[in-house]
Amino acid sequence: MHTYLVTGGAGFIGSNYIHYMFKKYGDDIRIINVDKLTYAGNLENLKDIENRANYSFVRADICDKDAISAIFAKDDIDRVVHFAAESHVDRSIENPEVFVQTNVIGTAVMLNCAKAAWTLEDGTFKPDHKFLHVSTDEVYGSLEEDGGYFYETTPYAPHSPYSASKAGSDMLVKAYMDTYKFPANITNCSNNYGPFQFPEKLIPLIINNALQGKKLPVYGDGKNVRDWLYVEDHAKAIDMVQEQGKLFETYNVGGHNEKQNIEIIHIILDTLRDMLPESDPRRANVSDDLITYVTDRKGHDRRYAIAPDKIKSEIGWEPETMFAEGIRKTIKWFFENEEWMKNVTSGDYEKYYDSMYSNR
Ligand code: NAD
Ligand code: DAU
């Protein structure tokens, strides 16, 4: 039985991954979820599984090496899946330091604690113990509008403080693999969407604002392109890479689903109109007139697009959820979880939202 240490499991992708893993493996795995519970971490995301005997939660900061080494000392953890990070580009532009702290220093602590716990007397590592570092396509920089893809061999060229800090964390993982033969993989994934995504990110923000008749802020000309992947497909890719990937390799994960931001917004509006019955009072709020062009994000990357050829040919993973289906599932989830949205948008998020958008 594998014992997983999942960092950042109370966040968007981490919580979807934990749900996916229990759906797939049931009682045949153990998961220890370590999360600091920043504004983005929410234990409500895990309420259906929190009482499982094979799940436990530890509130800790990944930068706290005593807390992390104590977790490794308590159990023979043979799988680490490292999600914990500051993840929002706009916040990194406002306050880069916490991104360096969590994403770079926190990853160094995770690597060091795993290395210490897994090193045998002869200097080799315990067999079949593996670390998977979850990273982003943003480390590769920006593509031209008219072509090209990110491959695993594409040189790193991050632009935002967020992507620079993720690039730094990837480089640390690569350094551990090269220097110590530390057993790890890196995945670089494109934009995710789906249940439990915090509404600072484009898709949940647009769904939430449209239902309330609030402005839909479009940065710049709205023609920046992202490659959208349904979050459960990402969770599956992570598990497949960890179990079937070649150690020390990087795998790009992407949806082959490039869309301009403005197209995404129109798809959401059309889908909301289609899904909301005439009798639902929120239907009257949903209008194209809400679309509002605002000041562009500083250093806004123009286009991201992943070539997921390697993960397909070596491991057999491909995206399964078409965007039209994934966005309906996502909207349905938000309809059924209004309380979740109310809870995460109250308090501090409201303050953040007002300050972020008041001067745009
Ligand atoms: P998120 O912001 O929703 O969740 C991050 C989680 O990490 C939260 O639960 C938070 O409480 C926790 N955390 C933050 N700082 C911590 C610390 N110092 N110690 C312990 N826990 C801490 O992020 P997400 O969108 O779920 O992204 C997860 C990972 O996937 C990140 O590493 C991100 O870079 C990467 N990624 C995200 C996307 C995307 O589209 N969201 C795409 C590719 C890669
Ligand atoms: O590519 C993977 C990355 O995707 C992850 O590594 C990041 O953690 C994740 O946050 C995401 O980054 P983006 O910056 O691409 O996602 P975001 O949802 O913030 O923005 C998507 C696009 O929409 C981007 O071009 C900016 C634009 N946008 C965003 C917001 C929040 C708007 O036009 N208006 C908005 O209000």
Side-chain angles (χ1 to χ4, degrees):
M1 176 188 278
H2 296 307
T3 300
Y4 287 80
L5 192 170
V6 174
T7 70
F12 162 50
I13 306 176
S15 59
N16 277 284
Y17 169 81
I18 291 175
H19 282 111
Y20 172 82
M21 292 297 279
F22 281 133
K23 234 193 287 167
K24 175 160 184 203
Y25 296 105
D27 292 337
D28 296 339
I29 55 169
R30 287 179 61 213
I31 295 182
I32 303 159
N33 172 18
V34 178
D35 198 299
K36 183 180 173 182
L37 300 183
T38 66
Y39 77 93
N42 185 355
L43 289 180
E44 230 187 304
N45 299 358
L46 296 158
K47 64 175 187 301
D48 350 348
I49 55 98
E50 68 188 1
N51 293 322
R52 290 187 75 104
N54 55 344
Y55 169 77
S56 58
F57 173 70
V58 180
R59 185 170 191 177
D61 186 332
I62 54 164
C63 301
D64 179 347
K65 63 174 188 276
D66 293 339
I68 300 300
S69 50
I71 297 166
F72 277 100
K74 210 163 152 246
D75 288 286
D76 182 17
I77 289 157
D78 58 346
R79 297 283 184 274
V80 174
V81 182
H82 177 37
F83 293 98
E86 287 292 334
S87 69
H88 191 40
V89 174
D90 291 326
R91 287 184 192 251
S92 82
I93 295 167
E94 296 301 308
N95 179 17
E97 277 176 36
V98 65
F99 284 72
V100 177
Q101 185 64 28
T102 288
N103 299 0
V104 183
I105 307 294
T107 299
V109 169
M110 287 306 304
L111 289 165
N112 233 15
C113 291
K115 176 175 166 282
W118 293 352
T119 303
L120 296 168
E121 274 180 13
D122 65 0
T124 62
F125 289 105
K126 290 185 182 174
D128 195 28
H129 283 54
K130 302 177 187 180
F131 189 108
L132 189 139
H133 177 61
V134 180
S135 192
T136 170
D137 59 358
E138 297 199 14
V139 296
Y140 297 121
S142 184
L143 293 163
E144 296 300 321
E145 266 167 29
D146 53 355
Y149 290 97
F150 295 138
Y151 292 91
E152 287 79 359
T153 49
T154 303
Y156 276 30
H159 295 131
S160 72
Y162 162 70
S163 52
S165 68
K166 289 297 289 187
S169 68
D170 291 13
M171 289 302 171
L172 277 171
V173 180
K174 286 174 200 268
Y176 269 62
M177 296 193 290
D178 290 349
T179 309
Y180 309 112
K181 296 279 167 284
F182 180 75
N185 289 103
I186 300 172
T187 51
N188 293 93
C189 188
S190 62
N191 286 62
N192 285 215
Y193 69 101
F196 303 116
Q197 188 167 28
F198 196 84
E200 64 190 355
K201 307 281 165 58
L202 181 72
I203 288 184
L205 187 143
I206 296 298
I207 296 171
N208 189 39
N209 282 17
L211 288 172
Q212 294 180 55
K214 282 165 77 174
K215 285 182 181 169
L216 310 178
V218 183
Y219 297 171
D221 66 1
K223 294 186 178 158
N224 299 65
V225 170
R226 298 291 182 267
D227 173 3
W228 294 94
L229 180 69
Y230 192 63
V231 64
E232 201 172 89
D233 288 349
H234 185 191
K236 182 172 180 181
I238 288 169
D239 180 40
M240 288 177 77
V241 167
Q242 194 159 47
E243 296 314 317
Q244 298 164 46
K246 286 193 201 129
L247 265 188
F248 315 121
E249 292 286 320
T250 287
Y251 292 89
N252 282 353
V253 186
H256 261 319
N257 179 45
E258 289 180 54
K259 295 214 177 329
Q260 292 183 342
N261 295 334
I262 192 67
E263 273 179 84
I264 292 285
I265 293 171
H266 282 296
I267 293 171
I268 292 172
L269 291 171
D270 291 344
T271 313
L272 284 171
R273 280 188 281 256
D274 190 46
M275 289 175 73
L276 284 167
E278 293 287 349
S279 57
D280 192 311
R282 294 171 300 178
R283 200 175 195 283
N285 293 335
V286 178
S287 160
D288 290 9
D289 297 341
L290 299 172
I291 294 173
T292 309
Y293 286 88
V294 298
T295 311
D296 207 354
R297 176 183 276 174
K298 290 190 182 94
H300 197 175
D301 286 337
R302 192 62 174 168
R303 173 172 165 256
Y304 303 146
I306 283 275
D309 304 5
K310 178 174 170 182
I311 191 170
K312 184 176 177 198
S313 64
E314 287 189 14
I315 301 182
W317 176 90
E318 321 187 61
E320 288 171 23
T321 312
M322 299 301 290
F323 192 72
E325 179 200 347
I327 200 71
R328 285 186 92 84
K329 276 162 97 166
T330 304
I331 289 174
K332 183 166 180 281
W333 187 87
F334 281 109
F335 283 167
E336 288 166 358
N337 291 276
E338 269 191 302
E339 204 53 38
W340 180 94
M341 185 59 97
K342 269 191 205 133
N343 292 344
V344 299
T345 51
S346 59
D348 282 350
Y349 178 67
E350 226 166 304
K351 279 188 235 147
Y352 162 83
Y353 187 86
D354 290 344
S355 73
M356 180 61 68
Y357 291 94
S358 64
N359 52 7
R360 281 194 187 270

